[in-house]
């Protein structure tokens, strides 16, 4: 399934980057070169499983959430 492959890529990147580095959906699209809709679904699934956390952007834009490795990841 494509979503599982995308989730694996996301988790691989998040475990390799320094803590505190956050990526938005657009960043993930650039990094993974995958469909934005599939990335969004994968991010939602990972967040609901507690593997990643959603962080509000410093600008307070709800349409630009940022993601980091969660406690369950």
């Amino acid at each position: 399934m494509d979503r599982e492959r995308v989730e694996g890529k996301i988790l691989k990147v998040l475990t390799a980057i320094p803590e505190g580095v956050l990526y938005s959906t657009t960043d993930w699209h650039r990094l993974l070169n995958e469909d934005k809709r599939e990335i969004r679904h994968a991010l939602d699934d990972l967040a609901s499983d507690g593997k990643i956390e959603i962080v509000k952007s410093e600008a307070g834009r709800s349409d630009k959430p940022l993601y980091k490795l969660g406690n369950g990841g």
Side-chain angles (χ1 to χ4, degrees):
M1 173 185 234
D2 282 342
R3 187 162 309 155
E4 290 172 353
R5 183 175 51 79
V6 173
E7 286 178 9
K9 285 181 171 182
I10 291 168
L11 291 174
K12 184 176 181 178
V13 170
L14 286 176
T15 56
I17 62 173
E19 188 174 329
V21 176
L22 306 173
Y23 291 123
S24 70
T25 305
T26 301
D27 295 328
W28 284 115
H29 174 66
R30 289 183 190 133
L31 283 170
L32 304 179
N33 197 27
E34 299 281 349
D35 181 74
K36 281 187 181 182
R37 292 172 299 223
E38 196 63 41
I39 292 170
R40 220 173 281 119
H41 289 300
L43 289 167
D44 289 344
D45 288 349
L46 289 168
S48 68
D49 291 344
K51 293 180 180 176
I52 64 171
E53 293 179 20
I54 300 172
V55 179
K56 288 185 178 183
S57 70
E58 289 183 16
R61 292 185 55 180
S62 61
D63 63 329
K64 299 286 185 190
L66 302 171
Y67 302 88
K68 68 177 185 173
L69 202 56
N71 293 330

